[in-house]
Amino acid sequence: MRITPITGTIGAELSGLDLKQPISEDLEQALRAALDTHLVLVIKDQFLDAAQHRLLSEVFGKPMVNPYAPGKAPHPEMTHVIKEADDAAGVFGGGWHTDLSFFDQPPNGSVLCALEVPPFGGDTLFSNQQAAWDGLAAPLREILNERKLIHVGKPYGIKWAPPIEEQSMKGSSLRNDPDADRERFHPAVLTHPVTNRRALYLNPTYTLRLEGMSEEESRPILDALFQHTTQPEYCCRLRWSEGMVAIWDNFSTQHYAVNDYYGYRREMRRTAFSGYSISDYSPH
Ligand code: SIN
């Protein structure tokens, strides 16, 4: 396996791999180590079927079902992220987020396989939240150290739900769940259990406020943080090709699906995995 970084901060392309073949224990270890270091891995020309996709996810953790976008039997853990050519609404994941951070136990990573991609556009951006923590001004670090942030499932609930015409994956994604509006508390800063790198754990899609502060009081601080955490120096941008696979660390990154390919269909197959729990990343 060759590992080629794709920016100075985040992401690496792996080559010399055929993930359709059984994955040896040595390769499993090498894949986990590469993810711990680079946070986003890209492997082109894999064309994995659902069973192979699942086996790859299991290298990193147990695949979990997304209750708001479950897959069809026999693979409920596989969300099909589909945007039809004539769908003028938002895209699934079309805002900076970490997957399902409003869960009590969010997944610590995801595997996304490209099944059909537009001839241009439909890229995915990733931002390194370890670099964002390292680059954060000291007074903001002090505010966040040891503090919890409150996350809610805005798009899936009632209180903050976007208007129907802006919703992505209408019909295949479940909405209006009052439980998604329930506040969940997670540490603002997570520590990677293997590398000990600290990372900001927040995102504009689901993070509502700081513990001990109202939404209004939190707004200026969160806005400054959201701007800081997604600056270009912390980011990479993946250009998809059919058969490509991306794997990411959901506790150390944010990502953003770019909505710029109206007129073309895009279909991806996604698993989220639970290897580490959030408490494994919270030694304090
Ligand atoms: C997601 O947020 O997982 C979707 C990413 C994408 O479709 O590019």
Side-chain angles (χ1 to χ4, degrees), residues 81 92-93 97 99 112 124 248 255 257 266 270:
V81 178
F92 183 81
H97 65 287
D99 292 329
L112 189 63
T124 310
W248 63 87
H255 59 282
R266 180 178 184 269
R270 196 186 84 166

Side-chain angles (χ1 to χ4, degrees), residues 149-221:
L149 300 181
I150 286 92
H151 300 247
V152 291
K154 293 178 199 167
Y156 305 106
I158 296 169
K159 195 168 169 193
W160 294 274
I164 188 86
E165 62 278 7
E166 286 172 24
Q167 294 182 8
S168 60
M169 300 229 298
K170 285 192 281 291
S172 59
S173 178
L174 306 179
R175 309 284 172 153
N176 302 320
D177 174 14
D179 193 52
D181 292 338
R182 186 162 61 82
E183 294 191 333
R184 269 75 162 209
F185 293 62
H186 294 307
V189 189
L190 300 180
T191 304
H192 193 288
V194 175
T195 63
N196 280 324
R197 294 285 306 271
R198 303 193 78 200
L200 286 165
Y201 188 62
L202 51 89
N203 65 89
T205 303
Y206 303 127
T207 308
L208 184 67
R209 63 184 180 87
L210 283 74
E211 189 175 28
M213 296 173 74
S214 68
E215 270 182 73
E216 291 68 28
E217 289 164 341
S218 305
R219 191 77 265 148
I221 299 175

Side-chain angles (χ1 to χ4, degrees), residues 6-7 9-11 38-40 95-98 124-133 197-204 225-238 248-257:
I6 53 182
T7 71
T9 322
I10 180 171
H38 298 284
L39 308 180
V40 177
W96 283 106
H97 65 287
T98 60
T124 310
L125 304 174
F126 289 86
S127 174
N128 180 340
Q129 300 305 286
Q130 297 174 343
W133 169 254
R197 294 285 306 271
R198 303 193 78 200
L200 286 165
Y201 188 62
L202 51 89
N203 65 89
L225 288 167
F226 296 151
Q227 195 175 359
H228 170 77
T229 51
T230 56
Q231 59 189 276
E233 285 74 12
Y234 303 149
C235 293
C236 67
R237 180 173 182 134
L238 302 191
W248 63 87
D249 176 336
N250 191 49
F251 287 168
S252 311
T253 62
Q254 289 185 53
H255 59 282
Y256 182 116

Side-chain angles (χ1 to χ4, degrees), residues 27-45:
L27 180 55
E28 285 193 7
Q29 276 182 19
L31 289 168
R32 285 193 289 264
L35 187 62
D36 290 343
T37 305
H38 298 284
L39 308 180
V40 177
L41 304 178
V42 176
I43 314 127
K44 290 187 179 151
D45 298 326

